[in-house]
Amino acid sequence: MKGAMNGVGETKRVAGFGFRREARLGSLAEALDRLEARYGPVDGLAAAASMRSMVQALGEARGLATLSVPDEALASAETMTRSPYSRQARGTGSVAEAVALLAAGPGAVLLGPRLISTDRRATVALATGDTT
C-alpha cells in the first residue's frame, strides 16, 4: 500500500474530505482527481470518524491509507474557509480543511482552500505535515 505515512522526518500529504449525505463515491473520487491534478499525489486520505466509511472505500480503491479524526476535534482546527453551513453543522469553517490539518499532525499547513466537487456534494483539502 502506498502512503504508509510512518517514516521519520518525511513530509506527509493528507487529503481531507467533507461531504453531504447524498454524496457518492464518484463525488469524492472526482474531487480527489482535481486535487491531485492541482497539487500532485497524496500520501493518504482522512475523514471525520462519522464519515469514514466512504473515504475508506476510496482509499482501498486507490491503495491509500485512510486516517480518522474524532468529530469533536474538528472545531479545534483553524480553516481558511468560513462556511456558515459547515460551522453550524460541524463546528468548523470547513470539514475537509479541518480533517486534513488534524490528520497531517501538529504544525500541518493547508496548501490552499478546499476544492468542491463538480456536483457540489463533496469537498477536499490538502494539508502537509512532518512525520517526525
Side-chain angles (χ1 to χ4, degrees):
M1 179 180 291
K2 67 181 176 178
M5 296 191 296
N6 60 2
V8 175
E10 297 176 11
T11 299
K12 60 183 172 181
R13 297 164 50 89
V14 180
F17 287 88
F19 51 91
R20 297 174 187 228
R21 274 178 247 140
E22 64 270 12
R24 299 289 176 249
L25 191 58
S27 303
L28 277 66
E30 184 265 335
L32 180 60
D33 289 343
R34 291 181 51 231
L35 182 89
E36 289 187 315
R38 179 173 291 178
Y39 298 111
V42 301
D43 298 315
L45 309 180
S50 64
M51 304 168 83
R52 182 181 172 130
S53 63
M54 193 173 331
V55 177
Q56 177 86 33
L58 180 60
E60 290 171 2
R62 302 271 178 115
L64 293 167
T66 303
L67 303 171
S68 182
V69 172
D71 287 58
E72 59 275 7
L74 296 177
S76 70
E78 185 64 36
T79 62
M80 292 178 161
T81 302
R82 307 256 190 266
S83 164
Y85 173 79
S86 181
R87 175 87 47 210
Q88 181 181 15
R90 295 293 188 143
T92 182
S94 166
V95 172
E97 292 173 16
V99 165
L101 285 167
L102 293 166
V109 295
L110 290 168
L111 295 188
R114 69 186 183 185
L115 297 178
I116 303 171
S117 63
T118 54
D119 67 7
R120 304 199 55 79
R121 294 180 178 169
T123 59
V124 64
L126 183 62
T128 61
D130 191 359
T131 61
T132 57

